[in-house]
Amino acid sequence: TQLLEQSPQFLSIQEGENLTVYCNSSSVFSSLQWYRQEPGEGPVLLVTVVTGGEVKKLKRLTFQFGDARKDSSLHITAAQPGDTGLYLCAGNSGGSNYKLTFGKGTLLTVNP
Amino acid sequence: ETGVTQSPTHLIKTRGQQVTLRCSSQSGHNTVSWYQQALGQGPQFIFQYYREEENGRGNFPPRFSGLQFPNYSSELNVNALELDDSALYLCASSLEPYRGVNYGYTFGSGTRLTVV
């Protein structure tokens, strides 16, 4: 069974601070995705990383896929209250159905 | 382009009853997946439909079943509801994978099912 462990589970910071969220697994994934989910809504895709060692930047968000494709991190610079939400990592192992295996998420609160 | 639409948004059912949830996929997407998200947890894969056939199933009992229609919309049916079935049910649509990689799913806002 493939598992994705996310840490920390909860994070509360002040506006302007930097933060990093981690996603780790003992399994190799063909690709990994990060989503953000707000209360009462479905997850919204932020990024897909495919190549080991890959780094992608999306404005103040930086995503990294580990060299062995077993782990990933999300770094947010100068967090804003609008960044508040549940951040989910999801691994895709390929195969015929491409199901996503999700972590439990990191609940981020950015206080003004 | 329209996103993924799910109905109803909220539903309350009694233990033992049956429920049908509906999903309209994003325009152009031919693959639909269903996920169950319990409170405080990440979504869990139920099953996926591609070209009207089940294309993979997670660890859910047979009382969870589904359909995909020619227009790529989909239904999730749950029989003999149990209290533990209370959750947010998410539908996600996508294009076929490119070079073996699925580049992302578009999720609906979900149906909040409460079983009492």
Side-chain angles (χ1 to χ4, degrees), chain A residues 27-92:
Chain A
S27 302
V28 175
F29 291 100
S30 60
S31 63
L32 194 138
Q33 297 170 356
W34 285 91
Y35 291 82
R36 186 166 77 101
Q37 185 178 23
E38 298 191 29
E41 299 293 328
V44 175
L45 178 68
L46 296 175
V47 77
T48 299
V49 285
V50 178
T51 306
E54 182 177 3
V55 177
K56 280 193 174 179
K57 292 190 175 183
L58 184 65
K59 296 183 180 178
R60 294 177 294 102
L61 278 60
T62 302
F63 305 86
Q64 186 164 8
F65 200 14
D67 291 341
R69 290 186 288 135
K70 293 182 179 181
D71 57 87
S72 181
S73 64
L74 158 60
H75 181 78
I76 301 179
T77 303
Q80 300 176 358
D83 295 327
T84 294
L86 179 68
Y87 288 83
L88 294 158
C89 67
N92 189 316

Side-chain angles (χ1 to χ4, degrees), chain B residues 8-84:
Chain B
T9 55
H10 296 84
L11 201 53
I12 299 175
K13 288 286 191 178
T14 302
R15 189 172 49 184
Q17 285 188 314
Q18 178 266 342
V19 68
T20 297
L21 310 182
R22 294 178 174 83
C23 171
S24 294
S25 60
Q26 180 169 316
S27 176
H29 285 185
N30 56 13
T31 303
V32 174
S33 303
W34 286 91
Y35 287 81
Q36 180 196 65
Q37 186 176 23
L39 205 59
Q41 302 293 318
Q44 297 291 314
F45 176 74
I46 303 175
F47 42 56
Q48 182 182 90
Y49 279 84
Y50 173 63
R51 294 183 177 178
E52 301 178 54
E53 292 192 1
E54 189 178 288
N55 185 40
R57 187 178 184 92
N59 189 26
F60 281 81
R63 58 190 185 84
F64 285 77
S65 63
L67 285 172
Q68 186 181 32
F69 300 100
N71 65 355
Y72 305 132
S73 65
S74 178
E75 287 183 354
L76 164 64
N77 299 289
V78 187
N79 293 321
L81 284 167
E82 300 177 0
L83 297 180
D84 285 349

Side-chain angles (χ1 to χ4, degrees), chain B residues 83-103:
Chain B
L83 297 180
D84 285 349
D85 295 334
S86 296
L88 180 68
Y89 287 84
L90 295 163
C91 171
S93 71
S94 64
L95 293 167
E96 291 179 50
Y98 175 70
R99 293 187 178 180
V101 177
N102 185 303
Y103 279 87

